[in-house]
Amino acid sequence: MSDHVKFLPPAAIPEGGAATWSAEDAERWRAAGPPAVFAPNAGSWVLWVLVFVSIVLVAWNEPEAAVGGTGWEAHWEGYPEAVLMVGLPLAYRLAPWLTLVMSGLLGALMLLSWGGVPVDDAPARAGTVLLLALSVWTATGAWFRLRARRRQGALALAAAGERRVPVPDGLPASHRLRGLPQLLSGVLLCLAGAGLLVWGAVAEAGAGTAHPYDPTGQQVIALLALAPGMPLLARGMSRQWAARRLHAGPQPVLVVGVRADTYDHSWLYPNASDTTGRPLIGFRDRFEDMAFTGRTLVGGAEERLRADHHDVNEYAEPYEALLYGVPREGAEVVMEFADFYGDTRIGVRIKAVPLLARRRHSLYGWQPAGTSYTLAQRAEREARRERQRASSSSSSDSGGCGSSGDSCGSSCGSSCGGGCGGGD
């Protein structure tokens, strides 16, 4: 198992150097982020609740539609709104650009349907107003997130300077497949939903007035396919674009810090030296997103190597890495860092990860250890064994017969020279 080197050896820095992301520049980058009230993860859960409430209100006094003729208006009126409102919470979580489209369409349909809502139907009017408010709120949140991406991208480019470096070779296989599972799932779900709707519409249109056709079954199943299908399709497309953007040409490069938060998430820091720096943006830290390059930076005896290039506990403090790309929510970046390979060699590893709109973390302030974490752990284990041996030896010395006048009892037996207290 390898361990992360605190600071990159000079051989890891690309020719011409790389700018270090200062804490001051990073704080400006953080301030350019979207307001916390529009957080996508928490906001999507709130949206689910409010959408359910609005559906209940709109349908509160809705009479059963009479089936006659083709029944087109009775069966299909309000269906686009239903698809949009059910799919909006997931879209808000996964794809802000799709959220803008869906919320705009939903808001327009709510305005158009306002005239058809009975004046005396207070629940339906309240539900319609709530849906209109949700469409405005989600559109505003999506706009803030997209604006934050542009602003943070510009600040990151300014911090990196004019220098551009090609992305390292040998990226993990997951990078080439980024977004493909979501893309394929979204395509299949959207095709299935569209096929069901066409089936229902054709069957209804071809039915006679004597035996009208009810496409409700197809509509419900199509709704359950389209509502997640569209956000998944948009998410997959966005991740594919983000991954391909790294290969459009040389990328800006920054020296940053990386610190583990949990077993599956890590966070970017402005650098690995400034203890005033705060976590900036998180990513899912998966083994499949890591690649072993086999490139050796430095080698030598373990004691000297770990003294000159000490390893760290990645949960206690950040380690240094080169970041290729533009750090912002939704972007894909490549990180290059140094690891011990065994005890006598330091090599290069790379990670290709998408940056997430994750806000919550459990990271607190940190102080540099300044020494090898591995050697410190070994010394601690050796000290613990020494204490255990000393404790075991002390216990053995105090447990023998004759060590105390009152301690020699019947358990001594014949080993005390014929019984306790001696003989004639």
Side-chain angles (χ1 to χ4, degrees):
M1 179 179 179
S2 61
D3 32 15
H4 304 312
V5 177
K6 174 67 176 180
F7 296 109
L8 288 166
I13 306 299
E15 185 178 353
T20 299
W21 205 1
S22 68
E24 293 78 12
D25 289 340
E27 283 303 313
R28 284 191 287 271
W29 183 92
R30 179 200 295 279
V37 69
F38 295 114
N41 294 340
S44 64
W45 289 108
V46 175
L47 276 175
W48 282 115
V49 176
L50 295 179
V51 164
F52 176 77
V53 171
S54 64
I55 292 174
V56 172
L57 290 172
V58 170
W60 191 272
N61 293 321
E62 185 175 339
E64 290 291 330
V67 178
T70 61
W72 183 267
E73 292 185 358
H75 290 148
W76 295 89
E77 184 180 4
Y79 189 76
E81 295 93 319
V83 173
L84 290 171
M85 70 177 71
V86 175
L88 190 59
L90 188 58
Y92 185 77
R93 184 186 184 102
L94 300 181
W97 63 268
L98 177 64
T99 302
L100 276 178
V101 176
M102 294 179 66
S103 56
L105 290 174
L106 181 60
L109 291 173
M110 289 296 101
L111 288 175
L112 291 174
S113 65
W114 178 254
V117 181
V119 178
D120 59 346
D121 193 349
R125 295 178 75 85
T128 303
V129 170
L130 178 57
L131 284 173
L132 183 59
L134 291 180
S135 65
V136 172
W137 186 79
T138 52
T140 304
W143 180 82
F144 269 113
R145 288 172 64 192
L146 292 174
R147 187 189 70 158
R149 291 183 180 187
R150 291 192 297 271
R151 294 172 62 188
Q152 289 181 326
L155 289 170
L157 288 173
E162 299 297 326
R163 178 165 168 70
R164 300 293 181 266
V165 180
V167 174
D169 295 327
L171 295 179
S174 62
H175 170 74
R176 296 191 297 272
L177 303 176
R178 188 75 71 213
L180 191 59
Q182 295 94 334
L183 183 62
L184 294 178
S185 300
V187 167
L188 291 175
L189 287 171
C190 288
L191 287 177
L196 286 167
L197 292 181
V198 170
W199 173 20
V202 171
E204 183 181 17
T209 56
H211 302 285
Y213 186 83
D214 184 0
T216 302
Q218 290 96 324
Q219 288 177 333
V220 171
I221 299 175
L223 174 66
L224 297 177
L226 291 172
M230 292 186 296
L232 286 174
L233 176 59
R235 177 72 155 193
M237 291 171 60
S238 297
R239 289 199 163 181
Q240 281 275 301
W241 294 336
R244 292 178 181 178
R245 199 173 294 124
L246 285 172
H247 302 279
Q251 296 294 318
V253 59
L254 279 168
V255 179
V256 300
V258 181
R259 184 179 175 189
D261 180 19
T262 62
Y263 287 111
D264 59 350
H265 280 87
S266 292
W267 285 73
L268 291 185
Y269 274 69
N271 56 68
S273 301
D274 194 337
T275 57
T276 64
R278 295 189 292 172
L280 298 174
I281 191 167
F283 60 92
R284 195 178 297 277
D285 203 342
R286 307 184 308 168
F287 181 79
E288 52 266 36
D289 288 332
M290 185 188 300
F292 306 85
T293 65
R295 174 184 164 203
T296 298
L297 297 174
V298 61
E302 181 184 8
E303 292 293 334
R304 181 186 62 79
L305 200 60
R306 290 193 183 269
D308 295 342
H309 307 281
H310 69 274
D311 56 285
V312 299
N313 177 4
E314 61 179 320
Y315 295 95
E317 58 179 300
Y319 59 91
E320 201 169 69
L322 287 172
L323 184 144
Y324 297 83
V326 183
R328 58 187 178 182
E329 178 206 335
E332 176 126 350
V333 298
V334 173
M335 286 176 287
E336 193 173 39
F337 54 99
D339 264 12
F340 274 89
Y341 284 64
D343 295 323
T344 59
R345 184 165 64 102
I346 294 176
V348 176
R349 296 195 191 198
I350 52 178
K351 289 178 183 176
V353 296
L355 300 179
L356 308 175
R358 187 179 176 91
R359 289 181 173 269
R360 299 183 62 182
H361 60 80
S362 59
L363 298 173
Y364 299 96
W366 61 276
Q367 293 297 324
T371 57
S372 167
Y373 176 69
T374 298
L375 295 183
Q377 288 294 99
R378 291 179 186 172
E380 183 179 342
R381 287 194 297 268
E382 183 60 31
R384 189 182 303 116
R385 284 194 291 266
E386 287 293 335
R387 289 194 298 269
Q388 290 174 349
R389 283 195 291 266
S391 175
S392 177
S393 175
S394 174
S395 175
S396 175
D397 291 343
S398 65
C401 298
S403 61
S404 173
D406 295 332
S407 64
C408 192
S410 60
S411 60
C412 294
S414 59
S415 62
C416 289
C420 297
D424 294 338

